[in-house]
Amino acid sequence: MKVLITDLTRMYDGHICAAGLDVDNGRRVRPVGRQRLPASMLANRGGVFDVGNIVELGRTRWQGAPPEVEDVL
């Protein structure tokens, strides 16, 4: 899945939250891992996440449950 990153939020303890749009269908998604996303994944720290970047997440599966229905693992 390719995602156009539209939102980044700094979280506590050196982590981030990212959200964007699936480039194939425009559906809102929020990539989540088995653990929180570390801030080292930000583009200005050598990672891939920055507003406007298209990020290839690879194979994903929907993990969403209200109220976070956009979550993909």
Side-chain angles (χ1 to χ4, degrees):
M1 171 187 288
K2 289 183 183 177
V3 177
L4 170 63
I5 302 301
T6 59
D7 301 275
L8 289 172
T9 305
R10 184 179 2 185
M11 306 298 282
Y12 62 91
D13 204 26
H15 294 92
I16 62 169
C17 179
L21 302 171
D22 182 329
V23 297
D24 291 331
N25 60 25
R27 189 172 179 178
R28 191 96 175 123
V29 297
R30 186 170 72 116
V32 296
R34 297 196 188 281
Q35 299 177 351
R36 293 183 181 98
L37 299 175
S40 62
M41 295 184 82
L42 291 169
N44 65 355
R45 296 186 183 182
V48 296
F49 288 102
D50 198 359
V51 173
N53 281 4
I54 295 177
V55 177
E56 172 61 58
L57 298 179
R59 207 169 80 180
T60 61
R61 71 173 190 250
W62 291 99
Q63 284 292 113
E68 293 112 2
V69 296
E70 68 276 8
D71 289 1
V72 293
L73 182 65

